[in-house]
Amino acid sequence: MLEPDGYTFIFVAINLIILFLFMKKFLFKPITNLMEERKNSIEQGLKDAENAKMEAAEARKKYDEQIKNIKIDGDKLLNEIKAKAAREYDEIIANAKKEALTIVQKGHEEVEREREEMLKQTKQQIAVLAIAAASKLVQSNMDSDTNKSMVDKFIDEAGAI
Amino acid sequence: MGEKLTHAMESHTAFEIKLFGFTIPVSDLVVTMWIIMAVMIILAIFLTRNLSLVPNKKQNIAEIIVEFINNLVKDAIGPHHWKAFAPYIGTVLLFLVLANTVSIFNIIPGGEEGFKLRPPARNINVAICLAIMSICVVIYAGIRYKGPGGWLKSFVKPTPVMLPFNILDYVIKPTSLALRLFGNILGAFIVMELIYMALPIFAPAVISLYFDLFDGILQAYVFSFLTSIYISEALE
């Protein structure tokens, strides 16, 4: 119990060192390493998740911006097309009006010309009729000055129509 | 009765090894220690087989033990150097926990003369050996992390007047460690032996819970905790 015992002392020291080496190799080192590894892997996982979240948010922002740009572009394009269509519409209407006007004018001219032609023909016929009537008058009563002036007046009047 | 008590307290030569003409007696303390070592090593290997990042039941037990020891050492030594000393302090703690409570595992039938598991630390040689090993680790820590010069200088700090006291420190520390362990374990052992002699076999269970289990585990904890405190002092 109390007597010094060198053999026991040395045995205990050797045993303790052997036990220490075994426990270090089989228990403490692997478990400590494993727990650290697990800690690292969990930290890594959390970091990765955070990164992925941030990336997703960024991508979302980019897409939103792109969609906004596309909308703006679309609106611009639509407006342009609308303006172009209105311009073309106006042009077409104007052309149609001009053409209609031309056609109407042409019609007028035609009518005028025909009228003039008719007038001319009528004048000629009237002249012929007048001459026939006159010649008949002349055959019956062509001596008086009154009759002569009457005939002239008639012819004049006929020409004035 | 006194003779029986003395018989239980004394260590006996279990067998002898003949080596190169020398006769080396192996006491029952050493045999008990070997049994405890074998149990610890087999348990360690069994619990840490097939380690994986996702732990299973066996691994959980090992992790709880190792984490408890790591935290104990981390609290005492600090976050920088604990890794170098946790295995040794943990080994001592686990060994002492088993060694101090070994008498409750006495399942071998046999009379007074047969081999019985008794705590090895009831012998002063074992306690002193453990304490000297501890102080060796403390000295190693000082030399390893301060350099030999820095370690020698630590003897004359804070003033050279402290030199004899600092030297005495390295004698007092292991002595107090050894005597605390030895005294507590021997005292508890004697009390238990007396109770076993006086009371029938089933009565002393509650008392055994205190003297065998609580006191033994407490002393193991105190021993390893003080060792880590001494190491942290040496590292300052």
Side-chain angles (χ1 to χ4, degrees), chain B residues 4 20 48 63 65 106 117-118 171:
Chain B
K4 264 164 78 180
F20 307 121
T48 58
E63 278 182 18
I65 296 168
N106 253 327
L117 290 169
R118 293 177 178 125
V171 181

Side-chain angles (χ1 to χ4, degrees), chain A residues 5 8, chain B residues 10-17 23-29 31 115:
Chain A
D5 180 358
T8 302
Chain B
E10 291 292 346
S11 65
H12 313 280
T13 304
F15 60 93
E16 288 175 339
I17 300 173
T23 310
I24 304 169
V26 178
S27 66
D28 64 331
L29 304 166
V31 176
F115 179 80

Side-chain angles (χ1 to χ4, degrees), chain B residues 27-95:
Chain B
S27 66
D28 64 331
L29 304 166
V30 178
V31 176
T32 311
M33 203 173 164
W34 281 343
I35 294 169
I36 294 165
M37 279 169 66
V39 169
M40 279 172 73
I41 290 167
I42 289 167
L43 264 180
I45 292 172
F46 172 72
L47 289 177
T48 58
R49 238 181 13 187
N50 305 327
L51 287 181
S52 67
L53 277 181
V54 182
N56 51 26
K57 258 182 206 162
K58 279 183 337 195
Q59 199 180 327
N60 270 334
I61 299 169
E63 278 182 18
I64 288 167
I65 296 168
V66 171
E67 196 160 27
F68 173 76
I69 290 162
N70 281 352
N71 285 337
L72 168 78
V73 177
K74 223 185 279 180
D75 286 345
I77 295 183
H80 300 300
H81 304 307
W82 68 271
K83 244 184 181 175
F85 302 104
Y88 178 76
I89 291 167
T91 307
V92 171
L93 175 64
L94 293 178
F95 169 70

Side-chain angles (χ1 to χ4, degrees), chain A residues 17-121:
Chain A
I17 289 167
I18 292 170
L19 185 65
F20 163 64
L21 293 177
F22 265 97
M23 294 309 270
K24 189 177 173 183
K25 181 156 183 350
F26 287 114
L27 187 65
F28 289 100
K29 233 184 191 157
I31 296 280
T32 308
N33 286 346
L34 190 86
M35 287 199 296
E36 232 151 69
E37 205 178 305
R38 182 186 302 145
K39 199 178 142 203
N40 287 343
S41 82
I42 288 172
E43 269 173 8
Q44 188 65 38
L46 285 179
K47 224 163 70 186
D48 283 354
E50 193 68 25
N51 279 350
K53 222 162 120 187
M54 252 161 65
E55 263 171 35
E58 220 161 273
R60 169 111 200 246
K61 224 167 95 183
K62 224 167 83 185
Y63 287 142
D64 279 355
E65 211 158 291
Q66 268 179 4
I67 285 173
K68 223 165 79 185
N69 283 346
I70 286 169
K71 226 177 176 179
I72 288 170
D73 281 357
D75 280 355
K76 220 165 91 184
L77 213 65
L78 202 68
N79 282 346
E80 261 174 31
I81 286 168
K82 264 187 190 165
K84 205 173 153 193
R87 219 166 45 234
E88 267 176 22
Y89 172 79
D90 284 351
E91 215 166 285
I92 287 166
I93 294 277
N95 280 349
K97 262 186 187 165
K98 223 158 73 188
E99 253 170 58
L101 218 66
T102 318
I103 288 165
V104 167
Q105 220 160 11
K106 247 185 195 165
H108 274 302
E109 271 168 23
E110 193 92 357
V111 167
E112 193 73 21
R113 213 176 54 237
E114 269 174 25
R115 189 168 150 258
E116 261 171 31
E117 191 106 345
M118 243 163 69
L119 217 61
K120 228 160 82 185
Q121 278 175 13

